[in-house]
């Protein structure tokens, strides 16, 4: 398969992830739509093409790892893993119900395919750094990918972990910053800004930094990860310029953090997402 075909497959996968993410959250009626939808394209690239995984053996020791440090984006992960066949997709339509294996925030003890438990912002980054160091010490050739939010980058723990990762030359670690410009209470720049920018900070901490102009474009994300693989002796940070709520009719215009739309709004959003998937499938 040539690259053009691969990218088309990834665009379809991203649209499937968006649709399923909406369905997963709709099963509960409310949830973190914004920060789930902004991540769909990155998830498609990671799980559709880049990551070396075995869905039949989720804890295979030589696998690539993925840590959703912004654990409130759980639904996009459940959509992705369900579509990959880790479990029947329908089982995730129990999101955040009593007794579910699909809690609001990702939990490795509950959901098949989740590598590490997250939800308290900042902690997933440290966990990912630990996993990357562990894999290196054990001589594995695998990579650890960690997704953090731009609001999450307000946590001091992110920067302790970043410093550690650069010091130990963790070139098997790739951090994806979902730079959707908004956090829970509003614009990141208003709540707690990042001075010269998150990329400039990672650079100052000794990381290789790649700015992905359109972080909702699968090809740009894919190319950035290939470039990251070429860099030795440094961890890489991808700044994904994304849109919060991307593809959700009721959330994208406002960039809302969490949403509780009416049934009518859910129906409209799911229909629009189905139409988008059909349109992308029709592209050659
Ligand atoms: C330590 C900690 N403090 C506060 C929260 C509550 N919280 C959940 S999501 C969120 C905003 C995160 O913003 P961002 O990282 O930009 O997420 P995104 O926009 O990608 O959803 C906050 C403050 C938390 N989960 N953990």
């Amino acid at each position: 398969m040539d690259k053009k075909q691969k990218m088309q497959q990834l665009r379809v996968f991203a649209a499937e992830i968006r649709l399923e993410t909406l369905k997963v959250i709709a099963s509960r009626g409310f949830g973190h739509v914004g920060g789930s939808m902004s991540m769909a394209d990155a998830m498609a690239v990671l799980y559709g093409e880049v990551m070396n995984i075995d869905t039949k053996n989720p804890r295979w020791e030589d696998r690539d790892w993925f840590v959703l440090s912004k654990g409130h984006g759980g639904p996009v992960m459940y959509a992705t893993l369900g579509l990959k066949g880790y479990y029947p997709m329908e089982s995730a339509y129990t999101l955040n119900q009593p007794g579910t294996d699909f809690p609001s925030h990702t939990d490795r003890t509950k959901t098949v395919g989740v590598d590490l438990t997250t939800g308290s912002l900042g902690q997933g980054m440290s966990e990912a750094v630990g996993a990357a160091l562990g894999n290196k010490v054990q001589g594995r050739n695998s990579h650890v990918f960690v997704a953090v939010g731009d609001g999450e980058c307000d946590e001091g723990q992110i920067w302790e972990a970043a410093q550690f990762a650069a010091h130990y030359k963790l070139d098997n670690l790739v951090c994806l910053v979902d730079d959707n410009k908004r956090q829970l209470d509003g614009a990141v720049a208003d709540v707690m800004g990042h001075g010269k920018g998150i990329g400039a900070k990672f650079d100052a901490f000794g990381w290789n930094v790649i700015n992905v102009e359109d972080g909702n474009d699968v090809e740009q994300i894919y190319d950035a990860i290939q470039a990251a693989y070429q860099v030795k002796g440094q961890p890489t940070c991808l700044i994904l310029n994304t849109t919060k709520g991307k593809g959700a009719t009721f959330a994208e215009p406002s960039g809302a953090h969490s949403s509780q739309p009416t049934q009518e709004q859910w129906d409209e959003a799911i229909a629009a997402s189905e139409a988008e998937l059909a349109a992308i499938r029709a592209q050659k």
Side-chain angles (χ1 to χ4, degrees):
M1 191 187 302
D2 64 16
K3 188 178 174 197
K4 190 165 173 256
Q5 289 169 314
K6 258 191 216 171
M7 294 307 120
Q8 168 62 7
Q9 262 191 5
L10 292 183
R11 275 189 282 277
V12 170
F13 189 32
E16 289 171 343
I17 292 171
R18 285 212 157 79
L19 175 59
E20 283 304 332
T21 299
L22 288 176
K23 288 190 184 172
V24 167
I25 305 175
S27 72
R28 188 72 182 98
F30 59 89
H32 293 109
V33 175
S36 295
M37 297 296 271
S38 55
M39 281 293 300
D41 310 281
M43 296 302 280
V45 174
L46 290 173
Y47 281 89
E49 188 60 38
V50 165
M51 283 174 61
N52 195 15
I53 46 174
D54 180 357
T55 58
K56 300 277 174 287
N57 185 8
R59 293 272 161 96
W60 172 42
E61 291 196 335
D62 284 324
R63 74 188 182 284
D64 289 333
W65 290 50
F66 175 71
V67 185
L68 185 65
S69 190
K70 38 169 281 182
H72 57 281
V76 77
M77 183 136 197
Y78 304 149
T80 306
L81 297 180
L83 287 163
K84 288 297 288 182
Y86 281 89
Y87 40 75
M89 195 64 247
E90 290 72 26
S91 58
Y93 300 163
T94 57
L95 179 75
N96 217 13
Q97 309 274 6
T100 184
D101 287 334
F102 300 88
S104 173
H105 299 59
T106 41
D107 184 335
R108 78 190 292 276
T109 68
K110 295 224 159 70
T111 316
V112 179
V114 168
D115 288 320
L116 287 168
T117 301
T118 55
S120 184
L121 296 173
Q123 291 186 0
M125 180 73 165
S126 296
E127 294 172 45
V129 166
L133 180 64
N135 285 341
K136 221 177 213 307
V137 167
Q138 290 170 11
R140 301 187 196 284
N141 285 323
S142 54
H143 282 83
V144 176
F145 298 91
V146 55
V148 304
D150 52 347
E152 181 179 10
C153 288
D154 288 342
E155 292 285 346
Q157 185 166 359
I158 293 289
W159 303 106
E160 291 180 53
Q163 188 168 350
F164 184 100
H167 180 82
Y168 286 98
K169 303 186 185 342
L170 299 182
D171 48 15
N172 58 340
L173 178 69
V174 178
C175 175
L176 298 90
V177 178
D178 183 8
D179 191 7
N180 59 29
K181 317 290 182 296
R182 300 189 66 79
Q183 64 125 302
L184 189 152
D185 290 326
V188 171
D190 295 337
V191 177
M192 185 67 71
H194 286 290
K196 290 180 179 165
I198 297 172
K201 283 183 167 176
F202 272 97
D203 179 63
F205 275 77
W207 286 54
N208 172 47
V209 177
I210 301 175
N211 187 47
V212 179
E213 215 166 292
D214 183 351
N216 292 119
D217 181 301
V218 292
E219 186 161 2
Q220 289 187 29
I221 301 166
Y222 176 83
D223 288 346
I225 293 173
Q226 299 310 312
Y229 282 170
Q230 305 307 314
V231 174
K232 301 295 166 214
Q234 271 182 307
T236 289
C237 170
L238 310 184
I239 306 291
L240 305 179
N241 293 288
T242 56
T243 300
K244 196 153 177 170
K246 176 89 178 172
T249 47
F250 56 79
E252 183 176 335
S254 62
H257 184 70
S258 54
S259 310
Q260 186 163 13
T262 62
Q263 189 56 50
E264 202 180 8
Q265 287 173 311
W266 274 122
D267 293 345
E268 186 193 351
I270 288 170
S273 187
E274 281 169 344
E276 176 72 6
L277 173 58
I280 292 172
R281 278 195 179 134
Q283 287 165 13
K284 287 277 167 277

